[in-house]
Amino acid sequence: MRRLLLATVAVALASALDPTVASLATSTGVLAPLHVGALSDAVNVGTVPSWLTVATGGVLVGGSFLGTSLLTDHEGVRAVNAWSALVPTTATLRRALVLATRVVGVLGLALVLRAATVGSTDPTANFAIVVVWIGWWAGFAMTTYLAGNAWPVLNPWRTVVDALPGAGGRALPADYGAWPAVVGLLALVYVEVVSPLAADPRLLGVVVAAYSVLTLAGAYRYGPDAWFERVDPVSRVFAVYGRLAPLQRDANGVRLRLPGSGLVAGARERLRGESTETAVLGAESGTTALLGRESGTTALLGRESGMTTFVVALLWATTFDGLVTTPAWNDLATVVVEAGVPALGVYLVALVAGFAAFRVLYRVAAERSRAIVDSRLSPAAIESWFAPALVPIAAGYHVAHFLGYFLSLSPALEAVLRHPLGGGGVPQVAVLPGWFGTVELGFVVVGHLLAVWVAHALALELFPGLLRPIRSQYPFVVVMVAYTMTSAWVIGQPFVDPVYL
Amino acid sequence: MNENEPVTTESERAASDAKAPASDADDWNDGASGGDEERAGVVAGRGIDRAGLETLVRDDESVAGACPYCDRAFGTQAAYDLHVGEVHEDACSTSEHEAYADALAAEEDELFYFHLRVVAALAALYTVLVLVYMVALGSGFL
């Protein structure tokens, strides 16, 4: 019964967002309660074939695009996205929170380095492994898009560099744009996938120490603002995710907004030449607010070279992380490696080739969009305008990929947090119920629905009239349906350890 | 911090001589360049409009005009009129506003038939999905 109830809630939740999901709810309701239960198990077992589950994800995205095309009232769409409420905070509270968060960050880094050096070699009992992978890369990363980006304050390397006098002696060349972060992100993902970083505390310690040296040196040389806002891939990932979050910082403090509306903010002002960028950035004394230091809108909607590529890299990185744990990948990799290709090379080629495919697909969509509406903007301009719409997709996929991992290993996290110096006893693992796969699939779909809405709102601003904004989205919707179905397929696959690693 | 920089690529901008009112550049802080640029018709090539968006006119593409307020080029007169009235509604002239209203009215007629097709597509999608689920769950056929 509990399973049935949750499946119903999931469908009802989705139908609140989209009229076509309501049709799904109706249809399953007509069939019989038995099938509602079956639907909840659809991802791994049950009577709904997996191809139908994957196809349903695509249909939901396509249908929700049709639904949003009925909304052509510019003012109405703007009003929905502009809704916000000031979160009451006081300067004292903010200062205390910032101080506490910074202490936690620096203390955490020190404990991670300690545990990586002398801690237990059992990964699920080692503070470093558990805090880095479960607490930070899964848990904290989820808070950046579900709540707000606190990384600029928590970031221990930033705290350290801020305390050093004389940082920022050299200017970072503007031509670099987001490219160093693109390379850094792909390199981090490669290292994470091919090395036993999540199982070997000593190796993790070496990587964290190397990252620390590089980051501290770079941030000292170019200044913490330039380094963490532009070069450091980790800070950039969280800043991009943070734009999706309901808590956003502006000139007046912390605001509660609708999820995703931060991705649209500033679009109209930019077209009208009345930029709000300086207002937001000017108020940034940074250290005084928990969510300070986000250039956010300007970074995403700005003219920065390579930003579109960075967002696509973020989307691909999470997909790749899931793809290598599917049986299909393992079969393919086995054949290629047995033909004599080095395993590390196979993974590198797959990472780069898949990324290139995602990137080219997005460029093709922008080119088609330009042709359909007869625009005289360049494809690169159209891409960068709509790049924020990819963020909810990446976040939806991220939560689908990591929530189960986080929840099942959260007892281990609790144990190491209670005993940060070791001796937490035998680590426990929570077992997730079978319907959890459907919940994960739901996150992928919700991310895409939000993406459709964000893209629609951005299109209404960019392209003139009522029909051009809608038609401009045809190629992007086709790409989104393809991304959804790929992600839904990956999520629905049984987990296997990547071969040869 | 290049996202904080003002638009500096004025030298690339090209404005429509026919549409541009004489005072259009006055409300825009031109900075060092741009003020002495000779206005010319839009030619093929790349440019940057005042919102920082890159414009591109390929050799085989025509241009109906470039927005006098932000320099963005448009392929059709309707797109041009709609853009000026929507984005620069506070700045545009009475004649520009009338052109916008006419273009919008024409779009609204078209929009009704477009929405009719959208509703039909949604209904078809709904029907197909329900039928596929009924077959898949009910018959064991798929």
Side-chain angles (χ1 to χ4, degrees), chain B residues 24-55:
Chain B
D24 69 349
D26 293 350
D27 56 352
W28 176 256
N29 182 9
D30 267 326
S33 63
D36 52 4
E37 284 283 316
E38 197 173 341
R39 294 200 174 279
V42 175
V43 291
R46 289 176 188 274
I48 306 271
D49 75 8
R50 289 184 200 172
L53 292 167
E54 187 184 43
T55 56

Side-chain angles (χ1 to χ4, degrees), chain A residues 19-20 22-24 26-28 31 35 38-39 47-49 51-53 55-56 59-60 62-64 66-67 69-72 74-75 78 172 174-175 177 225-226 229-230 236 268 270-274 277-278 281 295 298-299 302-305 367 370 373-382 384-385 460-471 474, chain B residues 1-9 28 45-58 60-65 69-70 72-91 100 104-112 114-123 125-127 129-138 142:
Chain A
T20 53
S23 67
L24 178 64
T26 318
S27 68
T28 49
L31 287 169
H35 296 130
L39 184 69
T47 53
V48 176
W51 64 264
L52 184 53
T53 313
T56 304
V59 167
L60 292 181
S64 61
L66 291 174
S69 77
L70 298 171
L71 308 171
T72 53
H74 288 57
E75 290 300 331
R78 247 172 239 145
L172 189 68
D175 297 351
D225 288 342
E229 281 167 20
R230 292 181 43 207
R236 259 211 200 249
R268 180 166 170 80
R270 179 178 165 195
L271 288 179
R272 289 164 68 96
E274 42 190 57
E277 295 172 1
T278 45
L281 289 171
S295 49
T298 53
R303 298 174 269 287
E304 194 180 20
S305 155
E367 189 66 64
R370 180 181 187 274
V373 299
D374 205 18
S375 170
R376 294 295 174 267
L377 292 171
S378 71
I382 294 172
S384 72
W385 189 265
L460 284 180
E461 300 295 354
L462 185 66
F463 293 117
L466 305 167
L467 286 164
R468 281 178 199 80
I470 297 167
R471 289 181 173 145
Y474 291 166
Chain B
M1 296 305 296
N2 63 344
E3 60 247 61
N4 294 335
E5 288 171 10
V7 179
T8 55
T9 34
W28 176 256
R46 289 176 188 274
I48 306 271
D49 75 8
R50 289 184 200 172
L53 292 167
E54 187 184 43
T55 56
L56 169 64
V57 180
R58 292 187 171 129
D60 57 343
E61 289 174 342
S62 62
V63 170
Y69 306 101
C70 69
R72 188 168 144 193
F74 290 92
T76 62
Q77 189 62 39
Y80 173 96
D81 291 337
L82 288 164
H83 164 83
V84 170
E86 265 172 25
V87 177
H88 309 289
E89 57 181 348
D90 304 330
Y100 163 68
L104 190 64
E107 281 240 312
E108 275 165 357
D109 292 342
E110 206 183 331
L111 186 70
F112 174 77
F114 178 80
H115 276 166
L116 217 55
R117 291 197 290 275
V118 167
V119 171
L122 271 174
L125 205 59
Y126 169 93
T127 310
L129 192 67
V130 170
L131 287 174
V132 168
Y133 266 89
M134 286 172 74
V135 173
L137 297 176
L142 289 171

Side-chain angles (χ1 to χ4, degrees), chain A residues 8-19:
Chain A
T8 316
V9 168
V11 174
L13 185 73
S15 66
L17 288 163
D18 171 39

Side-chain angles (χ1 to χ4, degrees), chain A residues 455-489:
Chain A
H456 181 66
L458 288 170
L460 284 180
E461 300 295 354
L462 185 66
F463 293 117
L466 305 167
L467 286 164
R468 281 178 199 80
I470 297 167
R471 289 181 173 145
S472 75
Q473 293 306 296
Y474 291 166
F476 289 111
V477 168
V478 171
V479 171
M480 278 190 203
V481 167
Y483 284 168
T484 315
M485 289 172 62
T486 308
S487 305
W489 176 80

Side-chain angles (χ1 to χ4, degrees), chain A residues 8 19 27 29 49 97 105 116 143 156 174 208 232 246 335 355 385 406 422 459 499:
Chain A
T8 316
S27 68
L97 267 176
T143 69
V208 171
D232 181 35
V335 171
F355 169 61
W385 189 265
F406 178 76
V499 282

Side-chain angles (χ1 to χ4, degrees), chain A residues 11 24 92 101 106 187 214 236 241 308 354 391 401 433 442 464:
Chain A
V11 174
L24 178 64
T92 317
T101 311
V106 174
L214 182 70
R236 259 211 200 249
Y241 276 152
T308 310
V391 178
H401 191 63

